[in-house]
Every structure is written in structure tokens, then in C-alpha cells.
Amino acid sequence: MPPPRPPRDHGPRHAPLPSSAVSALIRPGRLDALLAPWMPDAEERAFVVRCIVGEGPIHHRGASYTLLCLLGLLLEELGPDEGGAPRGESLPVPIRLPPHLARGSDHDYPLAIPVAPLTRLAPQGSPELAALVDCLTDGPPHHALANAAMVCLLDALFARAGRARAGVEPA
């Protein structure tokens, strides 16, 4: 039997922040502006932003907000876009309700998830791609929509990187 391990010092622990501190850093208008190329309808966009940063546990709201803003900053670093969101195949993000709440046909959120960045990980039409999409779009709205929004921004980043690699200057 190996000797017991000495306790590890992980450094100073921080006290959890009050939810008001996390809420104070979240600026819904920033996400609204980031999502505008994919969602021209202001009411639909406001709904999606509310789902991402107004629903679910506060640490999820803060984490999603942070990651989306970082992706947005990277897009800004790469310069102006070429006229909005990349146009390619996208799939709906289904509203998944528990069976006892479902009524009739399935409904989708107003934000779709682009397929192009995901085909870098799995071939088009493959079961693996279907699994990736299912994993990213499953779960409560704050998860599914934050994931879809991040894939939208990643799609734009890949498109800009491809143009940069090809030597195409932004307009």
C-alpha cells in the first residue's frame, strides 16, 4: 500500500462572490450587439440574450457572458467583417420541454447553430456530427443558446481566419 499523500496547497481560497457582483458585470447590450448579424429581429435577439444571461445559475450566466465577450473581442481584433454572419448550413436549436409540458410539434429557438465549424470535427452527415449538434443544443435554454451563440462566433472567426490565410483584405 502506498504511503498517504501529504495535503496539497492549492493556494488561497476565494470566497464565492455574491450573485450581485456577477450580475453587475453582465451587460446584455453587449451580447445583443454580438448576436445582431445572426438575429436581425431585435425582439428575438432580446429573448435569446435574456435566456443566456438572465436564466439559470448565476455562474453559468457569468461564464457564458465572459466566453461570448472574449470571442467577440477576438472578432474585433481581426478587423471589420465582410457584411455580417457567414452564410452556410445551420440547424435549429430545439426547445426541449419535458414530456408532460410538450404540446404538439417541436418548436425551435430563434437562433440556429452553424454546421461549418462542427464539420472540422466530424464529417457532414455523419453520426458524429449529429452527436456534436445534439450535445451542443441539449439542455436548458441558457446552455443550448449560449453554445449556439459561441458556435456562431466561432464560425465567423473561422471565416475571417480563412480570408486572412487567403490574403483577402476586409472591406
Side-chain angles (χ1 to χ4, degrees), residues 29-73:
R30 189 170 185 173
L31 292 189
D32 186 85
L34 278 174
L35 293 176
W38 290 271
M39 303 182 67
D41 184 280
E43 286 183 21
E44 289 181 345
R45 202 168 53 249
F47 168 70
V48 168
V49 168
R50 182 181 60 77
C51 287
I52 294 172
V53 296
E55 303 294 329
I58 192 69
H59 67 278
H60 287 231
R61 296 182 221 175
S64 294
Y65 176 79
T66 301
L67 292 170
L68 286 164
C69 288
L70 287 169
L71 289 169
L73 288 173

Side-chain angles (χ1 to χ4, degrees), residues 91-158:
L91 296 171
V93 177
I95 295 175
R96 299 191 185 194
L97 298 172
H100 69 284
L101 295 176
R103 292 188 173 94
S105 64
D106 292 335
H107 298 286
D108 301 321
Y109 289 106
L111 179 64
I113 188 166
V115 173
L118 302 177
T119 61
R120 293 169 170 269
L121 300 174
Q124 181 74 29
S126 70
E128 293 84 5
L129 181 63
L132 289 175
V133 171
D134 190 59
C135 289
L136 290 167
T137 61
D138 195 11
H142 61 274
H143 280 300
L145 290 170
N147 290 344
M150 285 185 235
V151 175
C152 287
L153 292 168
L154 287 164
D155 191 29
L157 285 165
F158 279 121

